[in-house]
Amino acid sequence: MAIFQLLTGLGFLLPEGKGQLAMVMTGMCMLNRLITLIHLDTDSGMSMATALLWFFNFLLAVTFPKFQDAFHNTGALGYYAAWCVVGWVLILLFVPETKDLTLEQLDARFSISSKSHAKYAVKQCLYVIRRYILRRHRVKRPVIDLPPQEYDYGHKEADHPRKISFDSDDKMPGGVN
């Protein structure tokens, strides 16, 4: 998002005409397309995201004219782009990934310290840069060390907490629904 905001802001540095309009519209359209690609699955999640979106739209509507007068269009959009980068770094360092994890794995994931998670996030970011930008295919994906947990599912798979199988009638192992 920061890249597209910067693209829009840098468009205002071009001389007025069709080139400036094309650059500004390209940045705005690409930002809009990126936002529409990001969606939430649940109704409550979507309603919270919409409320947050309207709140920040309000803040933007109140602050942008003042920034535009003080810093012109490029500076104002650059300011918002910088906050996007700051937000991305903070989320990278302090918000653990929870997608497709069981409750037991979530418990283990949140039992690690923020410092350990931040180190893992930096290693993960470096992995992505080396693997996908520098095209080094033999780079190993970093693994986070989770502390050992005690699991009791009531059957013989208790020794393998990562391998949870469901019974034939779609009940949780151990008779828990």
Side-chain angles (χ1 to χ4, degrees):
M1 288 175 42
I3 293 170
F4 300 130
Q5 286 181 340
L6 279 176
L7 182 69
T8 304
L10 293 174
F12 287 106
L13 292 177
L14 296 174
E16 285 194 33
K18 292 183 180 180
Q20 180 188 32
L21 179 64
M23 183 83 142
V24 170
M25 290 304 295
T26 301
M28 290 173 66
C29 289
M30 292 174 79
L31 177 63
N32 188 26
R33 180 67 181 146
L34 178 70
I35 290 172
T36 57
L37 289 175
I38 301 169
H39 67 282
L40 296 172
D41 295 333
T42 63
D43 293 334
S44 61
M46 194 63 183
S47 63
M48 287 188 289
T50 303
L52 192 63
L53 178 69
W54 278 108
F55 173 73
F56 281 107
N57 280 340
F58 169 75
L59 284 181
L60 184 70
V62 169
T63 59
F64 187 75
K66 294 176 185 175
F67 286 159
Q68 193 176 23
D69 291 339
F71 306 118
H72 305 290
N73 292 330
T74 305
L77 290 169
Y79 174 80
Y80 295 121
W83 276 110
C84 283
V85 171
V86 168
W88 180 81
V89 169
L90 290 175
I91 288 171
L92 174 75
L93 294 179
F94 299 112
V95 179
E97 178 63 54
T98 59
K99 181 179 180 184
D100 295 333
L101 296 180
T102 64
L103 292 176
E104 292 81 14
Q105 291 168 334
L106 284 174
D107 188 33
R109 181 78 168 149
F110 285 110
S111 65
I112 64 170
S113 68
S114 295
K115 183 178 178 180
S116 297
H117 173 72
K119 286 180 183 179
Y120 168 72
V122 170
K123 289 178 186 176
Q124 184 74 12
C125 190
L126 292 174
Y127 165 76
V128 168
I129 291 171
R130 290 180 186 134
R131 174 72 170 92
Y132 297 105
I133 296 175
L134 300 177
R135 300 288 188 186
R136 296 181 184 165
H137 298 289
R138 294 188 178 154
V139 178
K140 291 184 180 179
R141 179 183 292 261
V143 178
I144 192 163
D145 295 326
L146 297 176
Q149 297 275 327
E150 293 294 326
Y151 298 97
D152 183 17
Y153 296 115
H155 58 80
K156 58 187 168 187
E157 285 190 352
D159 297 333
H160 306 285
R162 303 272 184 210
K163 298 169 81 176
I164 300 173
S165 65
F166 291 97
D167 296 334
S168 61
D169 56 354
D170 293 336
K171 292 184 179 179
M172 289 288 291
V176 178
N177 286 334

